[in-house]
Amino acid sequence: MSTVTIAPLAESLPAFLDSNDFSAVAVIVDNHTFKFCYPEIKGLLPKHTLVRIKAGEEQKHLATCELIWDALTRANFDRHALVLNLGGGVIGDMGGFCAATYKRGIAFAQLPTTLLSQVDASVGGKLGVDFNGLKNHIGVFQQPNAVLVDPAFLTTLSERELRSGFAEIIKHCLIADAAMWEQIRRRDPDEQDWSALVAHSVAIKQNIVAQDPTEKGLRKILNFGHTLGHAVETHFLSQPRKRLLHGEAIAVGMVTEAFIAHEKKMIDEVLLTQIEEYVFAVYGNARLTEADVEPVLALTLQDKKNRGREVRMSLLDGPGHCAFDVPVTTAEMRRALAYYNG
Ligand code: NAD
Ligand code: MG
């Protein structure tokens, strides 16, 4: 698996470029990372091709990939070229997918600039795009040649985006580190040492991915909160006013899936209450309505962890522990959504 370097890019990027012999370099940015992040690294790079796309999840589809492949082709990139993905999970997943498929695969490095991509999306080699309204429906597993994390980028991130990324940190603690869960839940959510949390979270994810890179088993625990979370996120994608950021949807998923784990007697009421209280304190209630329930349930049938039409979840079975491939019925999910709606 690729190593993850957490350091100022002024150190890590020249070291990475110098230790390789790339024939050409492309940098993929979105409008925001062009403005806030690209100026920080421009001076560290050799002559390069800049590919700038609009910001946002709506851009994460095959038509945008065509723009990227087109830019690489026009610049005559050969198989020894490098793609640098400077951005959040959208740029990382899509730029990585484009690199992994261009001429059957060229080198790429993730330079994650959001909290979510620093603690989660840039690590682990899952790449891809949304398709027909379904999240990450088309994609591949391919480990990046480098993941260079510079927490300094977080300073220009909005409060809302920071909170979204924090959901994956909470998830990592809940599935793998009970002591850390105890620490964070007692701390003021607005007073965080992001650099330390990033390092800790990356270590948890890397440890899990190293044991199961292509998600045949254990890696599925990283999907705690993501069956109902992804369904809720996808459901609201087409409703701009109710749209949730990824981590906000995962927050809904963590509460509802903790409820299911409690119903199945996998976790006690203490842990369920802790999760619920903490998540509501940080994220509020996403206000699902009665009308949202059935479409959300229908979307869970598309989950990549399912076996046929049977929904299988990763469910906590204690603080810091998570089981995977647990069959869950529609009735159980319906009760969990009703519980969340209060
Ligand atoms: P994002 O890439 O859309 O970034 C969020 C917003 O922040 C965008 O508007 C972006 O332009 C802006 N931004 C980025 N860096 C900034 C900075 N330093 N300062 C100011 N603004 C900045 O979204 P995200 O939350 O980073 O990632 C979500 C995506 O990641 C989803 O598509 C999700 O499916 C994917 N994801 C992938 C994995 C994986 O394992 N591959 C894991 C989790 C999530
Ligand atoms: Mg996630």
Side-chain angles (χ1 to χ4, degrees):
M1 211 184 39
S2 19
T3 51
V4 180
T5 307
I6 303 176
L9 276 185
E11 293 166 19
S12 61
L13 185 55
F16 169 66
L17 293 171
D18 289 348
S19 61
N20 289 276
D21 184 21
F22 297 113
S23 57
V25 176
V27 182
I28 321 256
V29 292
D30 69 23
N31 288 341
H32 301 138
T33 61
F34 175 73
K35 182 172 170 197
F36 296 116
C37 310
Y38 180 62
E40 303 295 318
I41 69 157
K42 199 175 165 188
L44 305 170
L45 295 170
K47 184 170 159 296
H48 55 276
T49 300
L50 184 69
V51 185
R52 183 174 162 182
I53 59 186
K54 286 188 203 142
E57 182 75 27
E58 317 86 86
Q59 307 303 321
K60 193 178 162 183
H61 51 56
L62 286 171
T64 316
C65 293
E66 290 195 20
L67 296 178
I68 297 171
W69 288 318
D70 187 55
L72 302 181
T73 307
R74 280 168 190 271
N76 295 313
F77 272 41
D78 63 20
R79 292 180 77 176
H80 306 283
L82 168 75
V83 170
L84 294 173
N85 297 313
L86 182 67
V90 169
I91 294 291
D93 282 14
M94 183 165 54
F97 176 68
C98 289
T101 47
Y102 178 78
K103 297 193 176 179
R104 295 205 186 83
I106 61 173
F108 69 100
Q110 305 295 42
L111 313 184
T113 61
T114 62
L115 182 61
L116 190 124
S117 57
Q118 295 195 349
V119 300
D120 191 358
S122 68
V123 181
K126 278 189 186 178
L127 311 168
V129 292
D130 304 337
F131 182 73
N132 282 359
L134 295 169
K135 288 272 304 163
N136 304 327
H137 199 61
I138 303 295
V140 296
F141 283 102
Q142 176 73 55
Q143 295 298 333
N145 295 65
V147 182
L148 308 179
V149 177
D150 186 347
F153 282 130
L154 302 180
T155 50
T156 55
L157 210 57
S158 71
E159 185 64 29
R160 190 175 172 200
E161 293 288 354
L162 263 182
R163 268 171 205 259
S164 173
F166 185 50
E168 302 286 7
I169 294 178
I170 298 171
K171 178 197 77 181
H172 285 150
C173 296
L174 283 170
I175 62 170
D177 191 336
M180 195 66 185
W181 163 242
E182 277 306 308
Q183 276 186 41
I184 61 163
R185 77 181 187 84
R186 288 163 197 280
R187 209 183 286 153
D188 179 346
D190 294 322
E191 305 263 312
Q192 307 284 5
D193 176 350
W194 293 121
S195 290
L197 283 178
V198 167
H200 179 263
S201 233
V202 164
I204 290 178
K205 179 155 184 188
Q206 273 192 300
N207 178 30
I208 294 167
V209 172
Q211 296 175 61
D212 176 21
T214 54
E215 202 169 293
K216 300 284 187 275
L218 179 74
R219 183 173 177 168
K220 293 177 189 170
I221 69 173
L222 289 164
N223 286 308
F224 163 59
H226 281 61
T227 305
L228 281 162
H230 260 164
V232 167
E233 182 181 13
T234 305
H235 171 61
F236 287 130
L237 269 183
S238 56
Q239 305 178 39
R241 289 210 333 229
K242 293 196 74 177
R243 198 113 173 236
L244 297 177
L245 298 181
H246 179 71
E248 293 167 341
I250 296 320
V252 180
M254 289 194 288
V255 172
T256 47
E257 295 181 17
F259 173 85
I260 294 171
H262 176 254
E263 255 206 352
K264 288 179 175 295
K265 304 200 180 339
M266 296 170 71
I267 62 170
D268 61 18
E269 190 153 1
V270 176
L271 183 57
L272 172 62
T273 308
Q274 279 177 6
I275 294 171
E276 188 185 328
E277 285 180 357
Y278 190 74
V279 166
F280 280 139
V282 178
Y283 298 93
N285 184 305
R287 306 199 185 290
L288 307 181
T289 65
E290 205 49 38
D292 296 322
V293 172
E294 295 310 314
V296 166
L297 291 175
L299 282 164
T300 60
L301 294 177
Q302 289 291 342
D303 194 275
K304 288 188 269 307
K305 297 181 296 302
N306 295 350
R307 184 94 195 179
R309 286 183 67 84
E310 182 180 79
V311 172
R312 294 195 172 181
M313 281 193 190
S314 301
L315 293 178
L316 297 178
D317 57 357
H321 286 276
C322 191
F324 55 88
D325 282 344
V326 185
V328 173
T329 64
T330 306
E332 287 172 307
M333 291 191 284
R334 198 177 278 118
R335 282 199 293 279
L337 291 171
Y339 174 79
Y340 180 90
N341 283 341

